[in-house]
Amino acid sequence: MSARKPKPPPGSRRFSPLRLVGKTVVWVFTAFNLFILYWLIASSFKTPVEIFTQPFQLPLQWFAVGDPFRNFSYAWNQAGFGSAFLTTTVLVAVAAVLTVALAAPAAYALTRLGVRGSNPLTNFFAIGMGVPFQTVVIPLFVGMAELNLTDDLFGLLLIYVALSLPFTVFLLTGFFRSLPGEMEEAAAIDGASPLRTFLSIMLPLARGGLITALILNAIGLWNETLLAIVFLQDNAKFTLARALFTFYSAARYQSEYGGLLAGVAIVVLPMLVLYVLLARRIITGLTLGAGK
């Protein structure tokens, strides 16, 4: 006797106008973003004339003269995107690792060590997520100027870490709260200290959450623009977003729109590729942390 097929959930076979509208909106939004991505990539290989006269056609002229990557070469070498790319990579990597390294023990202490007032402290971090960083730019600039840390990559690193901590601590509290306590109790019986338990047992168990937090911080910091504009003035210290902002002003006068769009592609594509490759891990990590 064959096993019975499970019944579909209630209402799954019924026509739902709301579901149809939702799917339509999602597909239209996805198609629009794919179209914009196509336009960006195609335009980054075009001459300025092609960009304005043939905006939706495939690029031809630079390929015809045997120099298809001319715009990317111009942005990388002439507009300073090469050094900015290296600066941004190092800055974002260090800031993301430091943020997770500081947030992980804080989240562990708030959720597993029975710290007095842990719930209000967790709520305090959650409140920090809701404060727009644009509102604290001026006080930050004044404070960093007093410490002589304006136009300094180390100063910008400190700001990145400080502003990323509320979200990261709040995210990791969900992961540490979801971990089983039996292994922690076994470690305590064996005489392991809280620090050793955290480093040897709890951190490996929370690896999925740590990787998710690291990726999300890297994507957010890579695309950060306002703080880089405010705190960096030396061209040699520019991040990619800051270099793009400066190049935009110059490109309007030089009609270097192909190079400008190539610069936009240099900024956008690395994180887009990273997200596409790791989207499943990010979604799984967020769902695990929220579901438990």
Side-chain angles (χ1 to χ4, degrees):
M1 184 176 179
S2 60
R4 293 182 178 179
K5 294 183 179 180
K7 292 182 179 181
S12 61
R13 292 184 177 178
R14 260 184 275 167
F15 174 75
S16 173
L18 184 60
R19 183 182 301 172
L20 178 61
V21 172
K23 288 184 176 180
T24 302
V25 171
V26 170
W27 280 109
V28 169
F29 181 75
T30 302
F32 175 76
N33 280 277
L34 289 175
F35 174 75
I36 294 298
L37 180 62
Y38 158 76
W39 177 84
L40 171 64
I41 295 176
S43 298
S44 63
F45 289 94
K46 293 180 178 180
T47 64
V49 175
E50 285 182 295
I51 292 174
F52 289 102
T53 60
Q54 303 172 357
F56 307 125
Q57 297 183 17
L58 292 174
L60 296 174
Q61 293 188 28
W62 288 129
F63 285 86
V65 299
D67 193 12
F69 296 100
R70 182 267 174 195
N71 293 331
F72 286 91
S73 176
Y74 183 91
W76 190 266
N77 297 312
Q78 303 300 322
F81 277 72
S83 60
F85 187 91
L86 177 61
T87 298
T88 304
T89 302
V90 174
L91 180 64
V92 169
V94 174
V97 171
L98 277 179
T99 301
V100 174
L102 294 174
Y108 177 72
L110 290 173
T111 54
R112 313 294 298 199
L113 297 183
V115 177
R116 181 178 299 178
S118 59
N119 288 334
L121 285 174
T122 304
N123 294 333
F124 178 76
F125 279 103
I127 293 173
M129 294 168 51
V131 178
F133 70 87
Q134 293 88 345
T135 61
V136 298
V137 167
I138 295 177
L140 272 177
F141 186 84
V142 173
M144 299 301 282
E146 292 291 332
L147 298 174
N148 294 321
L149 289 177
T150 56
D151 197 20
D152 189 279
L153 290 174
F154 178 71
L156 188 61
L157 171 68
L158 295 179
I159 295 173
Y160 280 175
V161 172
L163 293 180
S164 302
L165 274 176
F167 165 76
T168 310
V169 171
F170 185 77
L171 176 67
L172 292 181
T173 52
F175 286 95
F176 282 110
R177 191 176 286 117
S178 68
L179 298 179
E182 290 79 6
M183 298 184 67
E184 202 173 10
E185 295 171 1
I189 294 174
D190 291 339
S193 64
L195 178 60
R196 184 177 179 183
T197 301
F198 169 68
L199 295 176
S200 303
I201 298 176
M202 305 308 287
L203 273 185
L205 290 177
R207 181 176 56 184
L210 299 176
I211 294 175
T212 300
L214 190 69
I215 296 171
L216 292 177
N217 276 297
I219 292 175
L221 294 176
W222 183 276
N223 296 321
E224 195 286 316
T225 304
L226 177 60
L227 294 173
I229 292 174
V230 173
F231 287 95
L232 297 179
Q233 288 82 41
D234 186 357
N235 292 355
K237 301 175 182 178
F238 278 0
T239 62
L240 274 175
R242 183 68 174 90
L244 179 63
F245 180 81
T246 303
F247 186 34
Y248 170 73
S249 302
R252 291 182 301 171
Y253 296 101
Q254 301 172 3
S255 298
E256 195 58 56
Y257 296 106
L260 177 61
L261 292 173
V264 175
I266 292 173
V267 175
V268 171
L269 291 181
M271 289 300 106
L272 179 62
V273 172
L274 179 66
Y275 182 82
V276 169
L277 294 177
L278 302 176
R280 186 181 298 274
R281 176 180 289 275
I282 295 173
I283 295 172
T284 303
L286 289 175
T287 305
L288 176 65
K292 296 185 180 181

